[in-house]
Amino acid sequence: MPKCPKCGAEIDHLINWSEAEQKFILRLTEKGTPNYEYVDTVPKNRNDYECPKCHEVLFTDEDEAIKFLRGK
């Protein structure tokens, strides 16, 4: 199992924080109150992969995060 290079904890996963934009349709109900209907989520380019123990960002690249978890 890989160890976090920041805190030394053995970890079997990383936490992925990903920026995204969400798209909604805004309509008014019969009473005139807003009603939002979810349409889609569009990911942005930023991804942070952090240690689940110390919460330090270890990687910003998915391939590097995967290599780490595979022990490479």
Side-chain angles (χ1 to χ4, degrees), residues 34-51:
N35 180 39
Y36 288 90
E37 177 186 340
Y38 172 80
V39 177
D40 194 12
T41 299
V42 179
K44 289 188 170 186
N45 292 332
R46 184 168 173 245
N47 278 295
D48 288 341
Y49 297 88
E50 71 177 36
C51 171

Side-chain angles (χ1 to χ4, degrees), residues 4-47:
C4 173
K6 303 278 184 167
C7 70
E10 287 190 352
I11 54 177
D12 63 355
H13 68 281
L14 297 170
I15 305 297
N16 174 223
W17 289 92
S18 177
E19 287 189 45
E21 290 184 7
Q22 293 185 320
K23 184 179 183 180
F24 294 87
I25 295 172
L26 170 61
R27 293 190 175 101
L28 296 179
T29 65
E30 291 179 9
K31 294 181 179 182
T33 57
N35 180 39
Y36 288 90
E37 177 186 340
Y38 172 80
V39 177
D40 194 12
T41 299
V42 179
K44 289 188 170 186
N45 292 332
R46 184 168 173 245
N47 278 295

